[in-house]
Amino acid sequence: QAAEAEVRRQADLAAAAQAAVAGATETEVRRRAEEENPILLGAAQLPNKPLSRTGALALAAAIAEKEAAVRRGLEAERRREEEEGAETSRKEAEAAVELERQEDRMLRHSQDQEYHQSLLQDQMKDLTARQKALRTELEVAAPEVAEKENSLRNVQQRLERFGENPRLKEEISRSEARLEELRPRCADLEQELSQVEASIKNNTELLAAMHSDEG
């Protein structure tokens, strides 16, 4: 607004200069300049007499140049404000895009975590069921192995004590055959149970970490 007012003042001064061409005195031009723009005082140091046409034109040209400079300043300020506005809009747009990306990444991370958590929970159900089945089977097989081993030792002792006995030999053969079945099976059950329990422990820790992240 101040710059626009300056332009208007310079226009008035130009009009005053044109009046000087028509025979105005230096004093009249000075008075008008002092009213509108004191900064022009001292621009002309001529005695108080009518200005020559050349002097009046020179004064008018100086005022016009001043007006043009003010207009250039206004135009430069307008361009600067437009550039600053465009830069601000660009930064705001970039910030909005980055925020949207972050929200999208967070959403995908949350969805992925929910999916993996659901997957782990399903695995835990299967692992827990398998753990129970293995323990049940071991609870049956392990005592039978111990029983057959104990029975085999007793029969072998009797055979050593009483000598050759077809019935005892047959009993030993049956016990040894059963043990050949039970021992590998028990070993497999114990190994699988150990793996299942390790998986249960690992999944429990993962689920606890996920719940901690949610908190």
Side-chain angles (χ1 to χ4, degrees):
Q1 292 179 353
E4 291 175 357
E6 177 66 13
V7 171
R8 288 196 295 272
R9 286 197 293 271
Q10 297 304 331
D12 290 340
L13 289 174
Q18 293 297 327
V21 175
T25 65
E26 173 67 13
T27 300
E28 291 171 341
V29 175
R30 268 179 182 278
R31 179 181 57 76
R32 184 63 182 274
E34 184 175 12
E35 290 174 356
E36 299 298 337
N37 192 349
I39 199 169
L40 292 177
L41 290 177
Q45 302 296 332
L46 297 175
N48 186 18
K49 62 181 180 179
L51 292 173
S52 67
R53 183 178 181 82
T54 301
L57 289 174
L59 182 58
I63 294 173
E65 176 60 27
K66 178 66 174 178
E67 179 183 356
V70 171
R71 290 186 182 280
R72 287 194 297 272
L74 282 173
E75 179 63 19
E77 178 66 16
R78 183 187 64 78
R79 287 197 301 269
R80 185 185 65 79
E81 290 177 353
E82 287 180 353
E83 290 173 357
E84 288 180 352
E87 180 67 12
T88 299
S89 298
R90 184 186 64 79
K91 289 181 178 179
E92 289 176 351
E94 289 178 352
V97 170
E98 180 61 24
L99 178 61
E100 185 176 353
R101 288 174 180 170
Q102 290 178 359
E103 290 176 347
D104 185 57
R105 284 195 296 268
M106 291 176 64
L107 178 60
R108 288 200 304 270
H109 174 73
S110 177
Q111 290 174 340
D112 289 345
Q113 184 160 318
E114 288 177 0
Y115 171 75
H116 289 302
Q117 185 173 334
S118 176
L119 209 62
L120 285 172
Q121 288 171 341
D122 290 341
Q123 289 178 358
M124 284 290 284
K125 292 178 182 178
D126 294 339
L127 288 169
T128 302
R130 184 56 181 163
Q131 180 190 42
K132 183 178 180 180
L134 290 169
R135 285 179 174 177
T136 299
E137 193 170 351
L138 270 173
E139 287 173 357
V140 174
E144 186 178 356
V145 169
E147 180 186 353
K148 291 298 180 183
E149 288 176 343
N150 186 53
S151 175
L152 181 60
R153 282 193 299 270
N154 291 336
V155 173
Q156 288 173 338
Q157 289 175 357
R158 288 165 58 191
L159 186 63
E160 291 175 358
R161 182 184 304 172
F162 299 111
E164 290 294 327
N165 187 318
R167 187 179 64 81
L168 293 178
K169 283 187 175 183
E170 183 180 350
E171 188 174 344
I172 288 173
S173 296
R174 286 198 303 270
S175 296
E176 288 177 342
R178 182 58 179 162
L179 284 172
E180 285 179 359
E181 296 176 2
L182 289 175
R183 282 170 177 164
R185 179 57 183 161
C186 283
D188 291 341
L189 290 172
E190 289 172 351
Q191 181 179 5
E192 185 179 355
L193 179 60
S194 176
Q195 293 172 347
V196 167
E197 289 179 340
S199 296
I200 289 175
K201 181 176 181 296
N202 182 61
N203 286 8
T204 300
E205 292 173 352
L206 288 174
L207 287 170
M210 288 182 178
H211 289 308
S212 176
D213 289 342
E214 290 176 357

